[in-house]
Amino acid sequence: SCVIASRDTSTRLALGARAPREAMTHDVERDVHDTVRVLVRVRPPNAREIDAGYAPCVQTHGTNALTLQRGSVRESVAGKAALSFAYDHVCDQSSAQEEIFERVGRDAVDGVVEGYHGCVLAYGQTGAGKTYSMQGVDLDRDDDVGGFEGDDDCVMMSPGEAGGAEGDALDAPNAGLIPRALKRLFERCESARNAAIEAGGACEIEVKCSYLEIYNETLRDLLMNTEHDGPAPNVREDAKRGTFVENLHEERVHGAEQTYETFLRGAANRRVGQTNMNADSSRSHSVFTISVESRTKAHPTAPTTKKSALLHLVDLAGSERQKSTDAAGERLKEASAINKSLSALGNVIKALVDVADGKERHVPYRDSKLTFLLKDALGGRARCTLLACVSPAHVNVEETMSTLKFAQRA
């Protein structure tokens, strides 16, 4: 028997999410109300799972559905049913990094250039492939995934190289969503400038970036020296500016390579810790934010059109059961804070779904620093995508089911 547990289509369309379909290419016009997407990525089994006697629990069906087998075949016959889920898109174990970017990152980047806030959240248990999907390089080894890292063509730039980061890392086959998004962003900026000039006008675009982590509900600037003794970053709200982080360092950048080098510098400062699930598991949420401001004159006598938007690229700390990670002491405290903030994110998403469905609900943005920071990018006309990464191994079936149910709420 099979229990159907798909995302409700009417609710999803009320929120503005695109209805599932077999194919979607980057040249399809996106409606301004098409704001929420959910993509699930099933990674290949890693060495630890294979050594433990790998048994699969996830089976994909086409590009929009999958089933999760909770028990063994014997238990299934005895009535322990499989669960079926449907999402905007499902990527199986053979999916390449380029496909993830095309379906998750390209539209968010294009929207930012057009003046829409964007947000990509990578969610999943520790070791499910989040950091690999976002970065594509072995920086903090958050994802011990066989075939996902350690490949010869997986290039990591050296922060100490003269002249900045090498462009090869942005073009590598295993480049993650972030380097691909940066390359696309500056290509779009250059196209906008050239188009304005060809029309006899002008276009000025300023790009800035910042990078912070949220650790135990405390914000830390990853681009500042750890010994920096200035005031700590804090999330504020202003009637004109919306939500913003005060005391957060922003760097003006002029190209994809320089921006990625800045990202790598901050990523090296993230908090990681050893758990049973991973040797170096990310213990904080990281938010890499790109600010784009443009001033365009269609022709010499035309008024100046101003646009500004933020793109948040978020690598969430691993969602996890304390039993699986064998957390204790400081790790247990970290795990509790992580799970609490992820729960707050889930509550905000659920409230936004209810509001879009016509219900009167208070959206609890202030229940966590993460949701308060992302307030302007989670609702309204913003373009938000949840990338849920899962393990295919039966040993992780409980964590996988939790991730799939979380994504189902979006």
Side-chain angles (χ1 to χ4, degrees):
S1 60
C2 183
V3 179
I4 302 297
S6 64
R7 299 167 64 213
D8 181 75
T9 303
S10 61
T11 300
R12 185 167 65 253
L13 294 181
L15 254 181
R18 192 183 302 278
R21 60 189 181 188
E22 287 302 308
M24 178 175 64
T25 58
H26 63 267
D27 57 343
V28 175
E29 286 282 337
R30 176 169 178 161
D31 187 89
V32 296
H33 301 296
D34 185 9
T35 56
V36 178
R37 287 178 179 167
V38 176
L39 182 146
V40 173
R41 184 180 199 181
V42 183
R43 66 156 170 78
N46 62 25
R48 177 176 57 83
E49 293 163 346
I50 293 174
D51 291 343
Y54 170 69
C57 68
V58 176
Q59 183 177 2
T60 59
H61 304 282
T63 59
N64 301 113
L66 60 80
T67 54
L68 176 71
Q69 180 60 55
R70 292 181 292 174
S72 64
V73 175
R74 180 179 299 177
E75 290 173 320
S76 179
V77 173
K80 195 166 187 178
L83 290 175
S84 293
F85 298 86
Y87 302 99
D88 295 309
H89 196 82
V90 174
C91 292
D92 61 20
Q93 298 179 23
S94 64
S95 299
Q97 293 282 72
E98 182 179 4
E99 179 183 355
I100 300 300
F101 171 72
E102 291 293 333
R103 297 191 178 279
V104 176
R106 179 185 285 266
D107 199 61
V109 171
D110 291 349
V112 168
V113 177
E114 296 164 7
Y116 297 98
H117 291 314
C119 181
V120 177
L121 301 124
Y123 178 85
Q125 74 176 93
T126 297
K130 302 181 305 300
T131 299
Y132 174 80
S133 296
M134 295 295 280
Q135 297 176 189
V137 292
D138 186 13
L139 293 178
D140 58 13
R141 295 183 61 219
D142 180 60
D143 301 298
D144 180 21
V145 181
F148 259 27
E149 62 182 33
D151 295 338
D152 293 337
D153 57 357
C154 184
V155 181
M156 184 174 73
M157 291 183 276
S158 172
E161 289 185 23
E166 292 187 12
D168 288 347
L170 301 177
D171 299 315
N174 283 354
L177 189 147
I178 290 176
R180 292 174 187 271
L182 297 179
K183 183 180 178 182
R184 172 69 177 176
L185 172 65
F186 284 96
E187 288 175 348
R188 282 298 310 271
C189 289
E190 186 63 23
S191 296
R193 293 189 188 99
N194 293 337
I197 293 174
E198 290 177 2
C203 178
E204 297 180 359
I205 302 178
E206 182 180 65
V207 181
K208 297 179 180 179
C209 65
S210 62
Y211 200 5
L212 63 82
E213 73 170 355
I214 304 175
Y215 175 74
N216 286 347
E217 285 299 287
T218 301
L219 274 63
R220 186 167 72 97
D221 192 336
L222 293 175
L223 297 182
M224 295 298 290
N225 192 300
T226 55
E227 298 178 358
H228 175 67
D229 57 359
N234 197 21
V235 185
R236 299 291 188 188
E237 187 171 23
D238 180 81
K240 293 183 178 180
R241 295 179 60 184
T243 55
F244 67 99
V245 182
E246 66 176 0
N247 305 320
L248 182 66
H249 176 66
E250 276 190 314
E251 292 193 9
R252 186 172 181 178
V253 289
H254 305 280
E257 294 174 8
Q258 180 192 3
T259 310
Y260 192 46
E261 185 180 56
T262 302
F263 167 78
L264 290 178
R265 175 159 53 88
N269 294 327
R270 281 193 72 183
R271 293 180 186 266
V272 297
Q274 184 173 3
T275 72
N276 273 5
M277 299 292 289
N278 225 324
D280 293 286
S281 171
S282 299
R283 312 309 295 159
S284 65
H285 307 309
S286 72
V287 184
F288 186 64
T289 301
I290 304 166
S291 167
V292 180
E293 296 185 9
S294 65
R295 296 172 179 82
T296 305
K297 290 176 70 72
H299 52 81
T301 60
T304 300
T305 301
K306 298 181 179 180
K307 294 180 181 179
S308 63
L310 300 174
L311 175 61
H312 300 289
L313 301 172
V314 186
D315 184 4
L316 298 171
S319 62
E320 55 202 16
R321 292 185 304 161
Q322 294 163 6
K323 177 181 178 181
S324 296
T325 56
D326 196 23
E330 189 67 21
R331 292 288 171 268
L332 180 59
K333 180 181 177 181
E334 291 171 349
S336 298
I338 290 168
N339 291 339
K340 182 178 179 181
S341 65
L342 292 175
S343 177
L345 176 62
N347 292 337
V348 165
I349 292 175
K350 179 62 167 62
L352 288 171
V353 171
D354 289 343
V355 170
D357 208 25
K359 301 177 182 178
E360 291 189 8
R361 282 286 307 274
H362 165 67
V363 182
Y365 289 113
R366 292 177 179 264
D367 281 2
S368 76
K369 296 289 181 64
L370 177 67
T371 52
F372 192 22
L373 169 65
L374 301 178
K375 178 180 178 181
D376 293 336
L378 290 176
R381 292 164 64 86
R383 300 181 177 182
C384 180
T385 299
L386 176 67
L387 172 61
C389 301
V390 298
S391 161
H394 195 275
V395 67
N396 297 319
V397 65
E398 295 299 327
E399 284 81 6
T400 296
M401 181 167 64
S402 175
T403 298
L404 294 176
K405 287 185 174 181
F406 182 94
Q408 185 181 324
R409 302 167 69 182

